[in-house]
Every structure is written in C-alpha cells, then in structure tokens.
C-alpha cells in the first residue's frame, strides 16, 4: 500500500517551519545546550562538579567561569528538554524585540547578576555569626532555569494582564505569578535550586524597575558590533535579527497584548503543554517595535493597502486607537514607511492630541507605573486618555512619540 506522502511531507514541513521561525540566538542556545547534554550522555559525565555553580569553589579558588558554564549544562533529558521548550517562545519573542546581539548581552548580564546574587546570599547564610547554613555554600547548581525566571518576571511586569494561569489549573495575580511558580516548582521537584530560581526572580525585578539601565549600552554600540567584519557571517544568516533604531537609553521591552488571562494547557497541542509554565498570551502576528529595544521582527502595523483611505492602518493592532481617528480627542493621521530591506519593518508614528474635556482622570497607579518607566507625567496622562486607560496601548503611544 502506498504510504501517505502528503501527511509525511506535511509533518516534516511543519517541523522545518517551526525551527526556521526560531531566531538565531534562541536557536543557537537550544543547539548548544542540546549538544552539550548529548556529549555528557555519551561520555558518561554526570558529576558536573567542575562546571556547576559552586559558591565555595568560587570564593576559595575564584572560579568565575562557573557563572556561565553552569547555565549551559543540564542534569537529565527532562531537565534540558523542559528548559529549552520553555526558552523557545520566551527567547524568540524577546529576540524579535531586542535583536540578536542585544539579547545575547542581556542573557550574559542576567547570568552575571544571578550568579552574584546567588553568591552573596549563600555567603551571608554560610558565614553569618548567628546560624550558619553551610549547605548553601556547597550546593552544586546547573541549568538555564535561572535565566528563564528572570525572563518570566520581565514579561509579566509589562504584559498588561491582571492574572496568569499556572499549568492551566488555577489563576493567580500577575504580580505574584513568579513567586507562585517558585513555590510550585520547589514543591514538585525537591532537587531544584531554590536559591538559583530566587536570584533569577530578583534579577528580573531589578531589570524591570530600571536598576540595570546604566549597564545597558545604547543602540549605537550594538549597531557598531553588527557592522564589524567578524560579525558578517552571522549577520547574513536569515534568522539573525538586527538591532536597529536609535534611542540611546535602554529600558525593558513592552508588548501589545490585551488584558486577558493567559492560558496554560488549554489545547491538546503538545508544544503548548510543554511550555505552558511560561506566561502565555494572545498576540497578533505583528506587534509594536520598541525603539529602545529595536528589532526587525516586530511591527506596529502592517503595510497600508494603496487603495485604502489615507491614515488607515491595520485594525487588528490599533482598532481601539483608530476607530475614532476623525475626532480631535483621538490620534492624528498615522504614517507607515515601508523599507526596501526585507527584514526592515514598518513603524507607525501617532501624534497624540490633548485630553478630552470632562474625562475622568486615569488611575494614579497606572500613571505612577509609566512614570517609573521614564516617561513624562504629562505625556503619560495624555497617552492614557487617548488609550482609554489601556496601559499597554498607552505605552505604545508613548514609545511612538519618542521614536
């Protein structure tokens, strides 16, 4: 009997499309961690004592290399599979926003700060004069999950949702989501590093609140790196995402997500089931490009149809902003510039007009949150008025003004 060629080709094609859709750095991390685990499996190396994050060895022998070797080694097939399947959706999204080089720098920064916090807490617990917890200094930790917890905090901070789903079983407030995950994983898997995950959460919050801004170079630095001759072989790869744009200040990325509860195991898709412990949300295929985390894979709107009326943009992304564009209380005409480069995306710049009279003031909590991100308070109030108090849309408006 003739085999089902269509079905076989369809599965192979879908797998190829899934892999090709993963950006350069994210797919590289998956390959590196997978190959390293395979080599360890074939050679029988399973102690990891020489490469794990071991506070006592770092303090006594100054083995700083453990900051970085620990994150690429994994102890079991389930360990590496779970971490990499969680990394793919989160890392792909951040890489499309920031660019490949910038995300590489952020990953190294998070690995460094996680390790330093881990070392500090372990040293304070192990050498304090009251009660010494020596086991924290001798704990051998490996795995990429510390970085993943930092990414979870960053995504949750600005996703705009009010609640998150934990394994599709129950919802928790978005602010408590990383801490609930920390507790759940500690209860389900007792051999995980509580301190490693905790330090990942602390680094994520530090980055979210701008404490690492002075450590983030401007876009010109990353553009210079990308234009270097030794980077040409990487830049030419189709999955490599350039860091373009120009605001020299560096903040956390924002997203054009609606305020909806994330779903966990809501479908029978095996991929979502394996990665559902990460924040999931519905998003359009083209979302806003942060000028402070520029990347060519995300757009604010799609190219305009030549036959469409002037000022009309993609309703899927900005329907709420453009549904009353003729009113002076809304937005002025948005312009879309399509670049010749196939990886350059259009960017819509919307000018915000004054707040309507008689409108109830935006909640102070939303205003303070945007002010803490570095925006001017007056501009924040106007943006919230134009966005109908939608925090995510207001951030997009503020960023388009600064672009």
């Amino acid at each position: 009997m003739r085999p089902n060629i269509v079905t076989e080709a369809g599965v192979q094609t879908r797998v190829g499309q899934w892999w090709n859709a993963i950006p350069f750095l994210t797919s590289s991390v998956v390959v590196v961690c997978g190959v390293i685990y395979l080599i360890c499996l074939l050679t029988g190396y399973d102690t990891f004592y020489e490469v794990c994050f071991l506070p006592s060895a770092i303090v006594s022998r100054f083995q700083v290399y453990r900051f970085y070797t620990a994150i690429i080694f994994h102890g079991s097939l389930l360990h590496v599979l779970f971490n990499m399947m969680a990394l793919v959706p989160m890392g792909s999204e951040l890489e499309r926003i920031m660019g490949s080089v910038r995300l590489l720098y952020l990953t190294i920064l998070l690995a460094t700060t996680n390790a330093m916090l881990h070392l500090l807490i372990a040293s304070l617990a192990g050498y304090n004069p009251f009660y010494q917890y020596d086991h924290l200094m001798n704990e051998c930790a490996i795995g990429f999950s510390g970085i993943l917890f930092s990414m979870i905090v960053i995504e949750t901070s600005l996703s705009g949702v009010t609640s998150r789903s934990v394994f599709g079983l129950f919802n928790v407030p978005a602010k408590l989501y990383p801490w609930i995950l920390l507790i759940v994983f500690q209860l389900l898997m007792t051999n995980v590093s509580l301190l490693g995950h905790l330090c990942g959460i602390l680094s994520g919050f530090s980055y979210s609140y701008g404490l690492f801004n002075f450590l983030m170079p401007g876009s010109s630095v990353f553009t210079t790196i990308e234009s270097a001759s030794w980077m040409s072989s990487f830049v030419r790869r189709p999955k490599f995402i350039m860091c373009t744009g120009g605001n020299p200040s560096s903040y956390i990325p924002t997203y054009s997500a609606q305020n909806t509860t994330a779903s966990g195991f809501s479908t029978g898709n095996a991929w979502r089931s394996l990665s559902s412990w990460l924040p999931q949300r519905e998003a359009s295929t083209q979302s806003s490009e942060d000028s402070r985390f520029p990347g060519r894979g995300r757009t604010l709107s799609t190219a305009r149809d030549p036959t469409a009326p002037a000022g009309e943009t993609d309703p899927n992304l900005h329907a709420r902003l453009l549904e009353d564009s003729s009113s002076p209380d809304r937005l002025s005409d948005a312009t879309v510039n399509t670049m010749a480069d196939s990886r350059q995306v259009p960017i819509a710049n919307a000018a915000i007009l004054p707040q309507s009279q008689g409108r109830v003031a935006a909640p102070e909590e939303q205003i303070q949150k945007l002010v803490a991100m570095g925006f001017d308070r007056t501009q924040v109030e106007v943006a919230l008025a134009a966005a109908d108090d939608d925090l995510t849309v207001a951030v997009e408006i503020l960023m388009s003004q600064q672009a």
Side-chain angles (χ1 to χ4, degrees):
M1 182 176 178
R2 186 177 181 180
N4 192 341
I5 299 177
V6 176
T7 303
E8 293 175 1
V11 172
Q12 184 177 5
T13 300
R14 286 194 295 270
V15 172
Q17 290 175 344
W18 170 78
W19 179 252
N20 291 333
I22 304 175
F24 176 76
L25 179 64
T26 304
S27 59
S28 298
V29 173
V30 173
V31 170
V32 169
C33 292
V35 169
I36 289 178
Y37 172 75
L38 184 60
I39 293 175
C40 293
L41 184 65
L42 295 177
T43 58
Y45 180 74
D46 57 359
T47 60
F48 306 107
Y49 183 80
E50 294 82 3
V51 296
C52 68
F53 185 86
L54 187 61
S56 59
I58 297 174
V59 171
S60 62
R61 296 188 289 273
F62 199 65
Q63 296 177 342
V64 183
Y65 69 88
R66 294 177 181 268
F67 284 18
Y68 312 105
T69 57
I71 65 175
I72 59 177
F73 281 83
H74 293 81
S76 66
L77 177 60
L78 183 61
H79 189 197
V80 66
L81 181 64
F82 194 76
N83 279 355
M84 294 303 101
M85 294 296 282
L87 170 67
V88 167
M90 181 69 68
S92 297
E93 186 172 11
L94 292 179
E95 187 170 356
R96 293 187 184 103
I97 298 172
M98 304 179 189
S100 300
V101 175
R102 191 190 293 263
L103 181 60
L104 175 61
Y105 176 82
L106 176 62
T107 302
I108 296 174
L109 176 63
L110 292 175
T112 304
T113 55
N114 289 358
M116 293 178 67
L117 286 172
H118 192 151
L119 186 62
L120 175 62
I121 296 175
S123 298
L124 291 176
Y127 298 122
N128 71 84
F130 305 104
Y131 186 84
Q132 298 179 353
Y133 296 88
D134 295 334
H135 68 280
L136 293 179
M137 292 297 295
N138 298 316
E139 182 182 70
C140 187
I142 57 174
F144 205 80
S145 54
I147 305 296
L148 292 176
F149 266 89
S150 297
M151 291 182 176
I152 289 173
V153 173
I154 295 172
E155 204 274 348
T156 303
S157 299
L158 294 179
S159 63
V161 298
T162 58
S163 63
R164 292 289 192 188
S165 175
V166 179
F167 296 103
L169 301 177
F170 57 91
N171 295 334
V172 297
K175 294 181 180 180
L176 300 179
Y177 181 70
W179 304 104
I180 297 297
L181 281 183
L182 177 68
I183 296 174
V184 169
F185 280 112
Q186 194 65 32
L187 293 176
L188 294 179
M189 295 172 282
T190 56
N191 61 333
V192 300
S193 174
L194 173 63
L195 190 54
H197 291 172
L198 174 62
C199 293
I201 293 178
L202 295 178
S203 291
F205 276 115
S206 299
Y207 180 75
S208 299
Y209 287 107
L211 299 182
F212 294 163
N213 286 349
F214 71 100
L215 297 173
M216 295 296 296
S219 297
S220 58
V221 175
F222 298 109
T223 303
T224 302
I225 295 175
E226 291 169 347
S227 61
S229 58
W230 57 273
M231 281 288 295
S232 59
S233 60
F234 299 104
V235 173
R236 286 196 298 264
R237 295 183 178 273
K239 300 203 296 183
F240 189 92
I241 298 179
M242 301 289 290
C243 173
T244 59
N247 195 321
S249 60
S250 300
Y251 295 85
I252 47 186
T254 58
Y255 306 88
S256 56
Q258 299 299 326
N259 291 341
T260 57
T261 302
S263 61
F265 294 105
S266 58
T267 69
N269 188 295
W271 160 250
R272 289 191 177 184
S273 298
L274 288 172
S275 60
S276 61
W277 69 288
L278 286 173
Q280 302 291 328
R281 54 181 168 69
E282 294 182 9
S284 55
T285 55
Q286 302 279 348
S287 41
S288 63
E289 176 179 354
D290 190 339
S291 63
R292 294 168 291 187
F293 274 117
R296 296 188 178 183
R298 301 179 66 85
T299 65
L300 185 61
S301 63
T302 56
R304 185 171 59 188
D305 186 353
T307 62
E312 182 179 343
T313 57
D314 187 355
N316 293 330
L317 296 178
H318 287 280
R320 296 191 62 189
L321 294 178
L322 301 182
E323 61 185 1
D324 194 17
S325 58
S326 59
S327 171
D329 299 333
R330 289 293 188 178
L331 302 177
S332 64
D333 206 15
T335 59
V336 181
N337 299 323
T338 304
M339 309 303 293
D341 191 343
S342 61
R343 287 186 291 177
Q344 181 67 41
V345 296
I347 302 175
N349 298 315
I352 308 304
L353 294 179
Q355 181 177 352
S356 59
Q357 297 179 352
R359 182 184 180 279
V360 180
E364 185 64 22
E365 181 181 358
Q366 293 184 345
I367 296 176
Q368 292 298 332
K369 186 173 183 179
L370 293 177
V371 170
M373 292 168 58
F375 297 113
D376 180 75
R377 182 183 179 88
T378 302
Q379 295 180 351
V380 166
E381 294 176 349
V382 174
L384 284 171
D388 292 334
D389 294 339
D390 190 316
L391 187 61
T392 304
V393 176
V395 172
E396 292 178 4
I397 294 173
L398 291 168
M399 303 253 285
S400 65
Q401 286 181 309
Q402 292 187 4

